[in-house]
Amino acid sequence: MAVLAADGCVEVNLLSSQVAAHAPYGGVVPELASREHLRALPLLARRAVAAVDGAVDLVAVTTGPGLIGALLVGVRFAAAYAWGRGLPLVGVDHLEGHLVSPFLSLEGRPARDAPEPVLALVASGGHSAWFVVTADGAHRHSRTRDDAAGESLDKVAQAMGLPYPGGPVIDRLAQRGDPTAVALPRPRLDGGDLDLSFSGLKSAAIRWVRDRSLTSVDEATASPEVRDFLASFEDAVVEQLLRPAPELVARHRPALLTASGGVAANTRLRQRLTELGRDLGLEVLLPPLALTTDNAAMIARAGQLAHRRGRRTDPRRLDASAREVWQPPGMRRRVTGSADASPRNGPDPV
Ligand code: KG4
Ligand code: ZN
């Protein structure tokens, strides 16, 4: 739960982590996630609103994509809150939130204005894509054809018996490993395509783990072999993610390069992006670490900007979607003809 000032300054940013609740199950348990939301939301809302003496004039909520039960709890809560207090409501796709997160600060500063165009990488557990963002909206120019980057990190960690989510653990272990130690495939798609692929790399990494029976690794006692392997795997994931960047920079001449989503917390990715920016003479803007993974501040900011562009969401019609509904303008919708695909939450250009 977050509260932002009109200039995008983050005034309150509260997080109720569910990691401990799900940890015994080795992954997220959907039903548990909904119940935890139900328990946490009223408490967080009371604290957040009290922290700004009740001065709230807009409610923003993410409508998806994600776990449908948890989303519905959030959406109904926000709709009821807005309705009850007579406040305007804005539904936001969570990717819109990631795209604005690099412009936020957690040190009491206003949000930065975005120059045009911005070249933006979004890399999370569910998405890996490159966008070019202008005043017209966000146009997607590259996306993964199979797994997301974070998903491949999580699956490899899971195969090794490491805790969920795997990304942060791999990040820590890889920092003490040699990224050149283990050769792993870095598949390219045919025809000079800018799209991304992680499944071949993930499968090869899981095979490597199983061939060596490294299926119950403990972070505290991980061997140099494990650390070298994870550094090599992480290096390959980062290389795959960044491969389209030089071509996209040449084509779109961005004024700024950003990265967001949980994987943008990764130490190696952040270093590589900084180096890339230096090589290409381009400013790189990364979100504060705490705003890389899913958070309410980015949803509030995206909602605030969408509201200024005229988006209004009727609290009686607000719905959540587990699937990807919002499509950047310029892309054809992949899902058509279903209720989920209709833009009833008013998705509009970012
Ligand atoms: O954006 P996010 O919180 O949720 C989704 O939208 O999916 O991203 C979660 C993903 C997980 O796959 C997690 O393993 C990954 O972000 N992640 C990281 C790091 N921190 C979180 N991956 C690599 N290095 C990290 N430090
Ligand atoms: Zn996310």
Side-chain angles (χ1 to χ4, degrees):
M1 192 79 58
V3 185
L4 266 57
D7 61 7
C9 177
V10 180
E11 302 204 325
V12 183
N13 186 42
L14 304 174
L15 183 76
S16 166
S17 173
Q18 296 195 7
V19 169
H22 297 280
Y25 306 96
V28 172
V29 184
E31 185 55 30
L32 200 56
S34 312
R35 287 189 207 177
E36 288 287 307
H37 266 60
L38 210 49
R39 195 184 56 76
L41 282 183
L43 303 172
L44 290 182
R46 206 165 295 140
R47 275 176 56 201
V49 173
V52 293
D53 295 326
V56 174
D57 52 18
L58 173 69
V59 179
V61 62
T62 184
T63 54
L67 287 176
I68 192 66
L71 286 168
L72 280 171
V73 172
V75 155
R76 294 323 322 158
F77 183 85
Y81 187 85
W83 177 260
R85 293 198 50 186
L87 297 171
L89 176 72
V90 177
V92 171
D93 185 287
H94 116 277
L95 274 189
E96 294 180 78
H98 280 310
L99 285 171
V100 300
S101 64
F103 299 93
L104 295 173
S105 133
L106 285 177
E107 284 146 26
R109 282 196 302 274
R112 251 182 77 163
D113 288 333
E116 276 191 63
V118 174
L119 179 61
L121 168 67
V122 181
S124 71
H127 293 89
S128 297
W130 285 91
F131 295 88
V132 173
V133 188
T134 64
D136 294 342
H139 297 259
R140 192 173 60 198
H141 290 273
S142 158
R143 66 176 168 92
T144 178
R145 297 268 188 93
D146 39 59
D147 297 331
E151 187 182 356
S152 69
L153 293 165
D154 294 342
K155 294 268 168 66
V156 169
Q158 187 184 31
M160 301 180 89
L162 288 165
Y164 177 87
V169 191
I170 292 181
D171 191 345
R172 289 192 293 272
L173 287 171
Q175 284 179 47
R176 297 188 289 131
D178 172 5
T180 63
V182 180
L184 288 164
R186 297 163 192 227
R188 281 166 189 270
L189 294 164
D190 292 339
D193 199 296
L194 289 182
D195 277 355
L196 309 166
S197 168
F198 295 95
S199 75
L201 170 59
K202 175 197 72 182
S203 301
I206 292 178
R207 241 184 344 264
W208 191 95
V209 167
R210 296 206 174 129
D211 285 351
R212 286 157 188 80
S213 301
L214 290 169
T215 50
S216 50
V217 172
D218 182 49
E219 183 179 354
T221 56
S223 65
E225 183 189 30
V226 164
R227 288 190 259 122
D228 287 350
F229 163 72
L230 287 176
S232 305
F233 172 57
E234 186 192 70
D235 193 59
V237 169
V238 170
E239 187 187 310
Q240 292 288 83
L241 269 177
L242 296 187
R243 179 176 290 147
E247 177 65 25
L248 289 170
V249 169
R251 282 190 203 170
H252 301 282
R253 310 224 160 269
L256 182 70
L257 177 62
T258 68
S260 59
V263 181
N266 184 263
T267 311
R268 188 181 309 272
L269 178 61
R270 291 172 86 94
Q271 274 165 3
R272 285 289 148 77
L273 278 163
T274 309
E275 287 162 15
L276 188 71
R278 216 171 29 230
D279 291 349
L280 298 172
L282 194 58
E283 187 189 355
V284 177
L285 188 65
L286 300 171
L289 275 182
L291 298 184
T292 53
T293 44
D294 291 346
N295 64 86
M298 70 184 193
I299 300 301
R301 182 62 178 163
Q304 196 172 52
L305 295 174
H307 185 257
R308 275 180 208 156
R309 288 191 306 266
R311 190 185 308 175
R312 303 288 183 270
T313 309
D314 182 343
R316 293 165 303 183
R317 299 190 65 210
L318 182 65
D319 208 348
S321 173
R323 279 188 285 168
E324 198 176 339
V325 177
W326 173 77
Q327 291 281 318
M331 300 296 299
R332 248 187 281 143
R333 281 178 193 286
R334 267 186 286 152
V335 192
T336 51
S338 77
D340 268 351
S342 71
R344 59 187 161 152
N345 292 337
D348 58 8
V350 174

